[in-house]
Amino acid sequence: MKKYNFTLAASMLTVILLVVVYMAPTAFSQDDMTQVPTDGFAKLERPRVPFAHDAHNEKAGLDDCIVCHHSKNDDGTRNMETSSEGEPCSSCHAEKRTDGGTPLMRAYHLQCQGCHKKQGKGPVACAQCHPKS
């Protein structure tokens, strides 16, 4: 009887480990984004920005998600210790703001253009990011 319980437990553990090993890459990866999200905008003024998330990060050598996915402190300042990965930018940055916070469009532009200018690489002009339809 004890041998049977051990064999059953070992078999169950093996199955669980196989499932975890098989599913781990999926759980820790994001479906590759192909465009910058537009959640939070009532109407777009320009075409959506094509953005291959994984290819961009690989080319830019970005391994730390928090570089782009910052969160905010209680006083509204940028928190570079805690990631907001998985949350839309619009959850903190409204399209129009009256509280002095950064509006959504400005947040995107500051984030992307600011990094591109700092690195001396990447698009910074409107048409370089927003292709004509």
Side-chain angles (χ1 to χ4, degrees), residues 16-80:
I16 290 170
L17 286 173
L18 286 172
V19 168
V20 168
V21 168
Y22 179 74
M23 296 302 289
T26 305
F28 293 108
S29 69
Q30 152 177 342
D31 290 338
D32 191 21
M33 177 190 320
T34 58
Q35 293 184 317
V36 170
T38 56
D39 303 352
F41 289 106
K43 183 177 183 236
L44 297 178
E45 295 176 18
R46 294 184 172 266
R48 289 184 69 179
V49 175
F51 180 73
H53 179 270
D54 293 345
H56 171 271
N57 291 348
E58 186 175 322
K59 185 175 181 180
L62 295 173
D63 294 327
D64 189 0
C65 299
I66 206 162
V67 171
C68 298
H69 298 279
H70 61 270
S71 60
K72 71 176 184 174
N73 295 310
D74 292 337
D75 65 359
T77 59
R78 190 184 292 198
N79 179 333
M80 296 304 287

Side-chain angles (χ1 to χ4, degrees), residues 49-51 56 109 112-117 120-130:
V49 175
F51 180 73
H56 171 271
H109 288 133
C112 300
Q113 289 175 329
C115 186
H116 291 170
K117 287 176 184 176
K121 303 175 193 170
V124 293
C126 300
Q128 291 175 314
C129 293
H130 298 277

Side-chain angles (χ1 to χ4, degrees), residues 36-45 48 87-97 102-108:
V36 170
T38 56
D39 303 352
F41 289 106
K43 183 177 183 236
L44 297 178
E45 295 176 18
R48 289 184 69 179
E87 297 218 15
C89 298
S90 60
S91 67
C92 293
H93 298 277
E95 183 176 17
K96 302 203 184 306
R97 304 278 303 246
T102 307
L104 185 58
M105 187 185 324
R106 181 155 171 72
Y108 272 123

